[in-house]
Amino acid sequence: MSVFYRLHQDKSKNTSRTGKWYARMVPTTVVDTRQLAAIMQRNCTVKKSDILAVLDELVETMRDQLQDSKRVKLDGFGSFKIGLSSIGAATANEFSASSHIKGMHIVFSPERTSDSTGARTKQFLQGAKAEELPLNVNERKKGSPSQTSPTGEGNQGGGGNSNPSPAPSTGGNGGDDQPDMD
């Protein structure tokens, strides 16, 4: 198994990233809850219908707990909390929730593990490797300016929505080229 990527050229103006090529993850398909439940049923003794019932209840219970200002931690998975988007007030006395809180969002922090050297790895990334989407190879043969693929961690890519090679739609960049903030 590999995490596929395609190359993306940063088109932003007047930045150190302008014109550089970055890797951007390309999902090959979407796996929904029912498909996950079917896979899980094959791997254990629990029926698909029971798995779906538990997952439905998990979502409802998590919503209630999050809206009660709690962090929800799923062992081996990660934790969730509600984050707030707000604008600043000149003083604490001038702050009003109705005027200054502009929205809410979910913050997910994947669980991390440490190896014997103390290096921390996010649970879902253990053993992951990146592989260039085969379509990029064909595009390069047609004269794309990049002959090497970016390697190593830390390439965050830039903004913009250029698509140097036709690939499955990802519904925008999905934040794939944003720095990891957790």
Side-chain angles (χ1 to χ4, degrees):
M1 288 190 283
S2 294
V3 176
F4 289 111
Y5 68 88
R6 70 171 182 248
L7 296 177
H8 163 79
Q9 187 176 28
D10 189 311
K11 302 287 186 185
S12 58
K13 304 286 186 221
N14 303 320
T15 72
S16 62
R17 299 180 318 260
T18 303
K20 293 183 181 175
W21 291 83
Y22 297 92
R24 182 175 286 174
M25 184 272 188
V26 178
T28 57
T29 189
V30 174
V31 180
D32 66 19
T33 307
R34 289 187 175 285
Q35 291 167 315
L36 287 173
I39 295 166
M40 292 165 69
Q41 175 180 268
R42 288 193 303 266
N43 294 333
C44 66
T45 60
V46 182
K47 293 183 178 181
K48 179 180 172 182
S49 59
D50 294 331
I51 294 168
L52 289 171
V54 169
L55 291 175
D56 285 344
E57 183 59 29
L58 176 66
V59 170
E60 187 175 324
T61 302
M62 284 180 63
R63 178 178 36 246
D64 292 344
Q65 297 303 304
L66 290 167
Q67 290 181 13
D68 195 24
S69 202
K70 295 177 183 172
R71 177 185 294 260
V72 175
K73 181 177 186 294
L74 300 177
D75 296 331
F77 191 86
S79 62
F80 299 82
K81 69 178 183 176
I82 292 180
L84 301 175
S85 300
S86 62
I87 57 173
T91 66
N93 287 337
E94 291 179 26
F95 186 87
S96 154
S98 61
S99 298
H100 293 91
I101 296 178
K102 296 301 178 186
M104 295 183 197
H105 54 274
I106 298 296
V107 178
F108 171 68
S109 298
E111 186 164 300
R112 299 171 189 256
T113 57
S114 298
D115 64 16
S116 60
T117 66
R120 293 175 51 172
T121 304
K122 292 177 184 166
Q123 183 71 18
F124 293 119
L125 299 179
Q126 286 182 345
K129 65 177 185 171
E131 183 178 328
E132 187 173 22
L133 188 66
L135 189 56
N136 275 348
V137 174
N138 295 334
E139 288 298 311
R140 282 201 193 133
K141 289 178 184 175
K142 294 179 185 176
S144 177
S146 176
Q147 293 299 317
T148 60
S149 63
T151 58
E153 290 185 324
N155 277 341
Q156 297 299 329
N161 290 321
S162 76
N163 187 1
S165 62
S169 172
T170 61
N173 67 18
D176 290 338
D177 59 349
Q178 298 300 317
D180 186 7
M181 302 305 283
D182 53 14

